[in-house]
Amino acid sequence: MSNMQLDTLRRIVQEINSSVSLHDSLDIMVNQVADAMKVDVCSIYLLDERNQRYLLMASKGLNPESVGHVSLQLSEGLVGLVGQREEIVNLENASKHERFAYLPETGEEIYNSFLGVPVMYRRKVMGVLVVQNKQPQDFSEAAESFLVTLCAQLSGVIAHAHAVGNIDVFRKPSNGATYKTFQGVPGSGGIALGRAIVLYPPADLASVPDREAEDISDELQLLDQAVSSVRTEIQQLDEKMQDSLMSEERALFSVFLRMLDENALPAEIKELIRAGNWAQGAVRRVIDKHITLFAQMEDDYLRERVSDLKDLGRRILASLQEADSSHREISPDSIIIGEEISTAALVELPVDNIAAIVTTEGAANSHMVIVARALGIPTVVGVTELPINTLDDAEMIVDAYQGRIFINPPRRMRQRYKEIQKEEEQIAKDLKQYETRDAITPDGVAVRLYVNTGLMIDVVRGVQRGAKGVGLYRSEIPFMLRDRFPGEEEQRAMYRQQLSHFANKPVTMRTLDIGADKDLPYFSIEEENSALGWRGLRFTLDHPEIFSTQVRAMLKASIGLNNLHILLPMVTSVSEVEEVLYLVERDWNAVQEEEQVKITKPKIGIMVEVPSVLLQIDEFSELVDFFSVGSNDLIQYLLAVDRNNPRVSSVYSHFHPSVLRALQRLVKDCHKYEKPVSICGEMAGDPLSAILLMAMGFNTLSMSSSNILRVRKAICHVAMSDAEKLLSEVVKMNNPLMVKSWIEYYFKNHGLGDMVKSNRLVSV
Ligand code: PEP
Ligand code: MG
């Protein structure tokens, strides 16, 4: 292939990949190919499996009216021949071939030469690309290889469109009621039926969803106002810059103004609004389309205008959003969907009305998911293929046990899921009897269950469900709900609430653990590699003023209650703990002096999250009173797998043999040095792993309030002798999936099948 052809190829591929929809990709393709090859016709036929026909989807050269209407049977015509043979057909004079089928709607009888190339994906024919010329000619080998390369690219685009279901490829994109399913990663278990509400950050054009306009004339008017205010804004900018910029440098402003002319961008946006989209969605579509066109321009200057175009789009959007009074109400049964939803954004919503959460990013142990779990909201994350922009108000089912999402589900499926919801309610009712039971195994071993808290609801539910203490208070959660660092008195009052609800029981308060996926809205830490960066204790030791304010507030809050334990997150080295001990001692003395009271010195423990700690239990034991395993992070670092990355979520498992063996050894080491060791990561709240932890000898298991009853039930039904036997069996296995199914098998055979999530598989 010549360099020129390669360049053309690259350009077309780039353009196809950046186009907004499959229909656009196909249109771009036929036009570009016809130009590049200087042929009269280029058409694409796609295989419509449902109807077993090749449908003409795009064409340059054939009668435009026939596109989307004309179709051929699988064995019909030359297109059928290419599909059947799964190979190129190159004919100098097509009409002389016995398989030539005359289709009057296309007006193709005048074309003589024919080159058809199959579009193949994973050995299956997806369609046929055809070029034709009036002039009888044999197409060259170069032409063939050019088209084969393009078709290979196109097949990926078509397969993706089929898979993500963002359009039914055989209908126009407006058909939103097609049933589609998507797979993500289960976050917080449960089932929900409801309607989607897309949550997107303001002034972020790319994430604006399509939404049916409630009133088209209102949307048109909103657009007019927005365009006129952006025009004024740009005119003002232009005037302001008159003295400091040369006239050529200010030329951009007049380009912007021309684009805002009534019959330029606004006309295109209005066309989409009239077709039913709301103004914000229409702006996104039109700007996207132009960005794609600009990005393909040969002229460097014009190509670089893409960022200006984006800027213009953002300005129109910001102006529309300012005037937007139509914020979708989060009514009961709302299913919140978004690319990424932060903990702070979640807790700001009316959480009682949220039926489920679905995100395209994130993984099962992200902070947001942990909070959702505490709130009992079914959550699925990492649904990478979900076409968020097109789903606003769509009817959905979320099966957060399996991580499956169903869009516009059929009636039978809705019925089945409603039945499952009823079964769920029944299970929850049955679990209620465990609120007042003790966690004692059938062979008489008592296990201490604590609750993890952050929000007040965790405290209330923890008390109600009989938690014997707080194993982890995530102090960063109340920090996330504010718009600045809370002061000492404010913190004292928050901590007092936690401590007094669990008076006479231990409350383990973790010092501020921010960084990585725990961002404060008012203190964002941007890092290349944030999981390994400035987080937890590393941050607070660099800010002793923030650390001391917190410790002082905790100490003051504990006056008269004496149940405070302090827990340090993300400890890596002994020297960090030495520094903390110095600070705490200093603050303890100071607060006692200021308050003129004796304060019981809190016990101080560290989280085992960084693998280095596993190998230095002897030295840490000399400094601290207890250990608590943060298995969410420990697994992340032990297995070198990002806990928030859906692509590697299958690698992240608390049943990994090395995780189990590391924990087993850790418990032995802690007990050797006579230190209590608890575990407060999500692993403690999964009944399947909880019984293994119990067998290892953990002194306490601490978990989300939503898991306490299930874990207590498991403990009440699994004898310690059985748990020990299971543990000795699974630690010898080398595969996490084997470990999991081994324990599941035991549960199913011992009347605990309802705790095995995969039991709730639905097929329709
Ligand atoms: C953990 O890492 O296991 C833990 C409990 O802390 P977090 O999930 O808040 O990081
Ligand atoms: Mg952690």
Side-chain angles (χ1 to χ4, degrees), residues 199-423:
L199 207 67
Y200 57 97
D204 177 4
L205 195 60
S207 51
V208 170
D210 287 330
R211 187 177 285 178
E212 202 174 320
E214 272 173 27
D215 183 325
I216 290 181
S217 56
D218 280 358
E219 293 298 314
L220 290 170
Q221 203 183 342
L222 277 172
L223 181 77
D224 280 337
Q225 284 161 1
V227 168
S228 124
S229 88
V230 175
R231 283 185 72 86
T232 316
E233 205 176 295
I234 290 168
Q235 276 155 350
Q236 282 166 352
L237 269 178
D238 189 22
E239 277 161 32
K240 194 171 133 200
M241 292 297 163
Q242 241 160 24
D243 298 333
S244 34
L245 290 183
M246 317 252 288
S247 62
E248 311 86 88
E249 291 162 339
R250 286 187 3 249
L252 175 65
F253 297 127
S254 40
V255 173
F256 270 7
L257 291 174
R258 273 203 304 280
M259 285 181 178
L260 290 175
D261 264 356
E262 186 49 34
N263 43 14
L265 290 181
E268 289 181 50
I269 301 171
K270 283 181 178 175
E271 203 180 307
L272 293 185
I273 296 178
R274 287 194 193 98
N277 208 342
W278 70 326
Q280 296 187 30
V283 172
R284 187 199 86 235
R285 282 190 170 267
V286 169
I287 297 286
D288 270 359
K289 184 178 123 197
H290 285 272
I291 286 174
T292 310
L293 292 176
F294 269 51
Q296 310 311 322
M297 305 251 184
E298 307 240 324
D299 182 321
D300 285 349
Y301 176 80
L302 285 175
R303 217 173 27 239
E304 281 156 18
R305 298 285 67 79
V306 165
S307 58
D308 299 327
L309 198 60
K310 282 187 184 158
D311 181 54
L312 188 63
R314 260 194 304 268
R315 282 171 194 275
I316 304 176
L317 179 72
S319 178
L320 280 171
Q321 288 180 338
E322 221 167 90
D324 180 18
S325 57
S326 68
H327 285 299
R328 285 277 305 281
E329 203 191 315
I330 307 219
S331 51
D333 297 335
S334 295
I335 295 175
I336 303 297
I337 62 178
E339 272 176 32
E340 209 175 357
I341 296 174
S342 68
T343 312
L346 168 63
V347 290
E348 259 170 24
L349 300 172
V351 286
D352 287 342
N353 283 357
I354 301 178
I357 300 168
V358 179
T359 63
T360 53
E361 310 269 322
N365 285 311
S366 72
H367 207 243
M368 182 280 284
V369 173
I370 289 169
V371 173
R373 203 170 292 152
L375 293 167
I377 304 175
T379 302
V380 179
V381 291
V383 197
T384 40
E385 313 270 67
L386 195 73
I388 303 182
N389 290 349
T390 62
L391 291 184
D392 202 50
D393 208 31
E395 201 176 327
M396 290 173 73
I397 293 176
V398 176
D399 178 343
Y401 291 116
Q402 300 184 69
R404 284 198 79 73
I405 312 297
F406 305 93
I407 310 291
N408 300 314
R411 196 171 50 86
R412 245 180 69 205
M413 177 172 274
R414 286 203 306 270
Q415 273 168 352
R416 178 67 192 112
Y417 270 104
K418 278 192 181 143
E419 282 162 24
I420 294 185
Q421 262 187 332
K422 283 220 183 85
E423 288 165 26

Side-chain angles (χ1 to χ4, degrees), residues 178-199:
T178 330
Y179 163 54
K180 292 284 170 197
T181 79
F182 297 91
Q183 184 66 48
V185 180
S188 157
I191 305 283
L193 290 91
R195 287 204 169 265
I197 290 197
V198 179
L199 207 67

Side-chain angles (χ1 to χ4, degrees), residues 367 370 472 474 476 510 513 517-518 535 569-570 607-609 629-634 636-637 643 680-681:
H367 207 243
I370 289 169
L472 170 66
R474 288 187 166 95
E476 63 278 3
R510 177 168 74 182
D513 185 21
D517 67 328
K518 299 172 199 168
R535 53 173 305 198
M570 272 299 285
M607 295 197 72
V608 184
E609 293 176 300
V629 177
S631 52
N632 306 338
D633 278 314
L634 184 63
Q636 151 161 276
Y637 300 125
R643 68 191 256 190
C680 58

